[in-house]
Amino acid sequence: MEVHGRKGDTLQYYSQLFTLPYRLILDSNPHIQSNDDLNEKRVKIPGYTTITVNKDRNDSISEISSKYNISTDALLLVNNKLTGKKIEQSISIPQKIKKPLIYKKAYTYEQLCNDLQELKEQFPFIKINIIGRSVLGKEIYEIQAGKGMNSTHYNAAFHANEWITSAILMKWLNEWLLQLNEESNSDDHSYFNLYLQKRISVVPMVNPDGVNLVLKGMQASDNKYDVKLMNDGKEEFTHWKANIRGVDLNNQFPANWDIEKERKIPKEPYFRDYPGDQPLTEPEAIAMHDLVKENHFDKVIALHSQGKEIYWGYEGYEPSHACFIAQCFEKVSGYKAIQYVDSHAGFKDWFIQAYRKPGFTLELGKGINPLPLSQFDDIYRDTAPILYAGINL
């Protein structure tokens, strides 16, 4: 919600007026200094929207204020032309956003873009960065929130037919922002305290070209690549994992890549498992590599499907406290924590090897990819506690 500031008003006052942490309002308005007079300035109020109602002719501002449980001055601020005690026109009512924007749905790249735009409007204190572009030029987005030094990175949809992980991750981010914005002005509250002490990074869709190919069919290839040939001649792409060039993005990282290259059956671009001709040839993998290199994350959590398992080790490079974190994840989710699997060249593998920090691959749900939307609620119930714990630990 955006309002026009009045002479003598400050961000601190708006924090009290809308019962919001001052830091969130300050971070939502980087163009305003903390001690500025807000006269004629546009001010964003996070977590609020307005509804328009037609009032009864004789209703006073105070009566409307009482009816909608909002302060009189908040009504006057949002309706900046109101001055009298009685008015005849319709009126805008500020309301705190309570319901999540993101819900169970087939999650295309276009849906992601729409949701990101709305989340930024609702919670302008988040930062949305473009970290790279896919083979077909789609922007790869990262969302950042929080002020602390300790940072956790999350990502989803490295594999195209695991697009449900994008929807799960975005729903969790939406819920976290709602809970953060719901809290009072006190620094003692847990979510806001985390916002001050921690930082999260979220890349909700690493492989947008592949996701759209799975969900929208051949039209999503822009006829630039022979995806039908790489798909064994089939025009149905349900089982496609790779990017649009037929390279498995989670086999692209320099962690014993040569071993994976040698033993993988596909020796040329294919709908799954082909690791490319060299590590880090694909723009999506390069974007993720560079993001990690530039941000020095304390831990990473990559969402995949399926298996209800948590992979947390790589070749003995994992730090000792990674075991404790994995056990906590296991406890809150019911998923099984597994230290080692016979796999190389993955994002998690490279992160652990290169930085000696905790890295985790979560295999969400159980069944055959792509998992059906009918599993969405169960997957979210099991996964959300892990994602929340990822910030705390």
Side-chain angles (χ1 to χ4, degrees):
M1 180 180 77
E2 188 175 277
V3 299
H4 288 274
R6 303 169 304 193
K7 186 174 179 57
D9 285 353
T10 62
L11 293 180
Q12 290 93 335
Y13 175 61
Y14 288 174
S15 167
Q16 298 168 5
L17 193 62
F18 292 101
T19 321
L20 290 171
Y22 166 66
R23 184 78 225 191
L24 294 186
I25 293 188
L26 184 63
D27 290 347
S28 297
N29 296 278
H31 60 293
I32 298 175
Q33 299 300 311
S34 60
N35 58 351
D36 279 359
D37 186 305
L38 300 181
N39 188 35
E40 296 300 322
K41 287 185 169 69
R42 292 188 173 186
V43 183
K44 294 179 179 178
I45 308 298
Y48 271 82
T49 188
T50 59
I51 60 171
T52 300
V53 299
N54 293 316
K55 54 172 289 298
D56 293 337
R57 183 181 182 88
N58 295 320
D59 276 352
S60 68
I61 293 293
S62 60
E63 288 170 335
I64 296 172
S65 170
S66 177
K67 179 178 180 181
Y68 290 97
N69 194 29
I70 192 77
S71 75
T72 300
D73 201 31
L75 280 176
L76 292 173
L77 176 64
V78 172
N79 300 272
N80 57 4
K81 293 182 180 180
L82 298 183
T83 56
K85 293 184 177 180
K86 293 188 177 181
I87 51 175
E88 297 182 5
Q89 70 269 34
S90 62
I91 187 170
S92 295
I93 308 295
Q95 289 196 330
K96 186 170 280 194
I97 297 168
K98 301 286 189 180
K99 294 182 179 179
L101 162 74
I102 296 161
Y103 56 90
K104 177 169 57 177
K105 54 194 166 188
Y107 214 68
T108 63
Y109 175 72
E110 291 73 21
Q111 185 65 63
L112 169 67
C113 292
N114 291 337
D115 286 349
L116 286 177
Q117 182 177 352
E118 291 201 44
L119 278 184
K120 181 63 175 176
E121 290 177 1
Q122 292 182 357
F123 306 101
F125 53 84
I126 66 173
K127 296 178 180 179
I128 299 179
N129 305 313
I130 297 169
I131 64 169
R133 293 179 182 272
S134 69
V135 171
L136 293 180
K138 294 181 179 64
E139 294 170 334
I140 300 173
Y141 293 103
E142 181 216 18
I143 306 99
Q144 287 191 4
K147 308 304 293 183
M149 296 297 296
N150 185 280
S151 58
T152 302
H153 167 75
Y154 305 84
N155 64 64
F158 257 95
H159 290 145
N161 65 346
E162 298 172 12
W163 56 262
I164 198 170
T165 60
S166 292
I168 292 288
L169 186 54
M170 283 293 289
K171 177 177 170 59
W172 171 76
L173 176 63
N174 192 180
E175 297 276 5
W176 186 74
L177 294 171
L178 282 170
Q179 290 168 324
L180 174 64
N181 212 74
E182 183 64 27
E183 295 185 343
S184 78
N185 223 5
S186 170
D187 288 0
D188 295 332
H189 286 264
S190 59
Y191 286 100
F192 181 60
N193 215 24
L194 284 175
Y195 178 83
L196 295 175
Q197 296 178 1
K198 309 281 186 169
R199 178 167 55 92
I200 64 170
S201 160
V202 175
V203 176
M205 192 176 288
V206 177
N207 185 6
D209 296 344
V211 166
N212 270 15
L213 182 65
V214 170
L215 291 173
K216 302 174 75 172
M218 285 188 63
Q219 61 173 336
S221 71
D222 289 352
N223 296 318
K224 292 183 178 179
Y225 297 93
D226 194 345
V227 291
K228 183 176 178 181
L229 177 64
M230 291 183 277
N231 199 41
D232 291 334
K234 300 173 184 176
E235 295 186 5
E236 194 273 322
F237 296 91
T238 301
H239 300 295
W240 187 281
K241 292 178 65 177
N243 75 348
I244 206 71
R245 282 204 290 236
V247 177
D248 187 324
L249 297 176
N250 205 40
N251 278 319
Q252 267 274 287
F253 291 87
N256 288 316
W257 178 88
D258 291 338
I259 295 175
E260 211 68 1
K261 173 67 173 178
E262 177 65 26
R263 67 184 183 180
K264 286 297 185 184
I265 293 175
K267 301 304 178 186
E268 58 186 12
Y270 199 51
F271 72 94
R272 60 175 297 160
D273 296 339
Y274 176 62
D277 295 328
Q278 296 179 41
L280 298 176
T281 59
E282 303 308 293
E284 301 92 343
I286 293 170
M288 295 301 296
H289 172 276
D290 291 349
L291 176 70
V292 169
K293 186 176 180 181
E294 293 167 6
N295 283 274
H296 309 289
F297 299 121
D298 292 286
K299 73 177 77 68
V300 301
I301 300 174
L303 275 61
H304 288 255
S305 62
Q306 47 75 40
K308 292 190 174 184
E309 294 173 329
I310 303 162
Y311 302 132
W312 61 274
Y314 184 67
E315 299 286 291
Y317 293 114
E318 65 279 359
S320 58
H321 65 286
C323 179
F324 169 75
I325 297 173
Q327 289 172 346
C328 291
F329 288 173
E330 186 178 58
K331 184 176 181 180
V332 299
S333 66
Y335 281 23
K336 182 179 180 181
I338 298 174
Q339 185 171 10
Y340 297 128
V341 291
D342 186 17
S343 178
H344 305 282
F347 173 81
K348 176 268 294 179
D349 307 329
W350 163 73
F351 178 81
I352 293 173
Q353 177 181 278
Y355 296 97
R356 308 298 202 268
K357 295 179 179 180
F360 305 90
T361 296
L362 308 183
E363 295 287 354
L364 312 187
K366 208 151 193 175
I368 299 173
N369 288 325
L371 296 178
L373 275 174
S374 60
Q375 285 198 32
F376 185 93
D377 293 336
D378 290 340
I379 292 173
Y380 186 77
R381 180 199 63 218
D382 293 339
T383 306
I386 300 178
L387 304 181
Y388 282 118
I391 304 177
N392 280 289
L393 297 173

